[in-house]
Amino acid sequence: MSPSIRLDWDDVRLFLEIARAGTLSAAAPRLGLTQPSAGRRLRALETLVGASLFQRTSKGFRLTDEGEAMLLHAERMAEDAQALERKLLGQARGLEGGLRISSSDWFSNHVLTDPLADFTRAHPKVTIELIADWRMLDLERREADLVLRFRPFVGPDIVQRRFTTVRYGLYAAQAYLDGHGWIEGGTGEGNRLIAMDEALGELADVEWLRRRWPEASFALRSNSREAQARACVRGAGLAVLPRVIGDALPLVLLEVDEAPPGREVWLGYHRDLKHLARLRALVDHLVAAVPDLL
């Protein structure tokens, strides 16, 4: 690369997104670009540096040797830019501006939406962007300002606290019970279960179901608690659901001598944002609005 070359930071960001996503179609929307526009900018960048940064394959884009070398510098540039952004944002004063909140879909829908709506009514200059997704968004990269998830955070730069504990219950539709019956002390033979999909089969509630009723078969498995709940209402089988979901539906809460295991929810944000007034206000509001035990 010639010493006279001056790179545009937006083009470096595009290069990073393609390297991380592996395809133009996945990278472009993250930067608000169309795929053709992203392709043109990548070709212009490669012309500027005088080298191909990616090998185009049927499975996506692979970094060339030149691309690997550029990636090391680009990642350092991104880390510095993100640190500066967090530092400047953390020094902001006043309750105005945006906040990106990330949590799972069902927790967002059933627990967070009402208190977040109340917060925006009380602070009309604050805009909340709620990302209801199971993915673990990165606080270091500012993919989110505040994340709520079902496990503690790892990393010295994350400020975290236990937010609440979610109780779970075993549910069934009355129509299912009329057709199949249910005996708590049995092996579960003849019964049908609704549970998390195989990728999340290690979760405590799935293991609890398997241990309690080893001869029951699975009727439906999904990574969506909402989908599980709907299938349960339709009489597809027995389901372990968060009480905040199941108690609001036309389902029977089955009495068992050992309740399904609960799960703790953790709240975390980057330490550079600890002085951000609107974030502090939101955390205080959520802690006050959401019970310690759901």
Side-chain angles (χ1 to χ4, degrees), residues 6-13 41 45 48:
R6 302 186 65 174
L7 294 177
D8 187 313
W9 168 236
D10 287 338
D11 290 335
V12 176
R13 288 179 61 209
R41 285 178 51 178
L45 175 62
L48 180 66

Side-chain angles (χ1 to χ4, degrees), residues 112-158:
L112 295 181
T113 302
D114 287 354
L116 288 177
D118 293 342
F119 182 82
T120 59
R121 287 173 56 203
H123 305 288
K125 292 185 178 180
V126 176
T127 300
I128 300 293
E129 183 179 355
L130 178 58
I131 305 166
D133 201 333
W134 57 267
R135 292 175 303 139
M136 300 292 185
L137 297 192
D138 195 330
L139 290 169
E140 295 279 353
R141 292 161 139 184
R142 281 216 62 224
E143 292 179 338
D145 300 310
L146 180 68
V147 172
L148 295 103
R149 69 185 201 185
F150 291 92
R151 66 181 67 174
F153 295 81
V154 177
D157 292 329
I158 305 303

Side-chain angles (χ1 to χ4, degrees), residues 64-288:
T64 61
D65 290 343
E66 292 81 4
E68 291 281 3
M70 182 169 171
L71 181 64
L72 296 175
H73 297 285
E75 287 180 332
R76 285 199 293 269
M77 290 173 64
E79 289 170 3
D80 289 342
Q82 288 153 7
L84 176 60
E85 183 181 359
R86 289 194 306 267
K87 185 65 70 176
L88 294 175
L89 181 61
Q91 293 171 353
R93 297 291 185 265
L95 295 184
E96 60 180 283
L99 287 170
R100 300 189 80 204
I101 317 299
S102 172
S103 187
S104 67
D105 56 353
W106 78 260
F107 196 81
S108 297
N109 295 339
H110 293 273
V111 179
L112 295 181
T113 302
D114 287 354
L116 288 177
D118 293 342
F119 182 82
T120 59
R121 287 173 56 203
H123 305 288
K125 292 185 178 180
V126 176
T127 300
I128 300 293
E129 183 179 355
L130 178 58
I131 305 166
D133 201 333
W134 57 267
R135 292 175 303 139
M136 300 292 185
L137 297 192
D138 195 330
L139 290 169
E140 295 279 353
R141 292 161 139 184
R142 281 216 62 224
E143 292 179 338
D145 300 310
L146 180 68
V147 172
L148 295 103
R149 69 185 201 185
F150 291 92
R151 66 181 67 174
F153 295 81
V154 177
D157 292 329
I158 305 303
V159 178
Q160 63 178 304
R161 61 174 292 172
R162 193 191 69 78
F163 179 61
T164 189
T165 298
V166 177
R167 294 178 300 156
Y168 288 75
L170 181 66
Y171 294 90
Q174 187 60 55
Y176 174 85
L177 296 175
D178 292 343
H180 291 77
W182 178 73
I183 302 175
E184 180 189 351
T187 63
E189 184 178 4
N191 274 291
R192 303 279 276 161
L193 304 178
I194 299 167
M196 300 301 286
D197 62 4
E198 291 188 4
L200 297 171
E202 78 285 354
L203 291 185
D205 57 282
V206 182
E207 294 180 351
W208 182 85
L209 279 171
R210 286 180 177 141
R211 175 169 54 83
R212 296 298 299 265
W213 295 284
E215 295 186 25
S217 60
F218 287 102
L220 182 143
R221 306 189 70 167
S222 171
N223 66 347
S224 167
R225 294 290 187 186
E226 303 276 11
Q228 294 172 33
R230 289 179 66 87
C232 190
V233 169
R234 299 291 291 182
L238 306 168
V240 171
L241 299 171
R243 292 286 303 268
V244 71
I245 295 179
D247 288 356
L249 295 172
L251 293 171
V252 179
L253 175 62
L254 302 173
E255 294 186 10
V256 289
D257 57 4
E258 175 195 346
R263 298 188 70 187
E264 291 186 335
V265 179
W266 291 80
L267 173 154
Y269 55 90
H270 198 280
R271 68 178 181 181
D272 286 347
L273 302 184
K274 64 183 178 181
H275 298 303
L276 183 62
R278 61 183 180 272
L279 179 60
R280 292 202 317 271
L282 177 60
V283 169
D284 291 344
H285 174 79
L286 290 175
V287 169

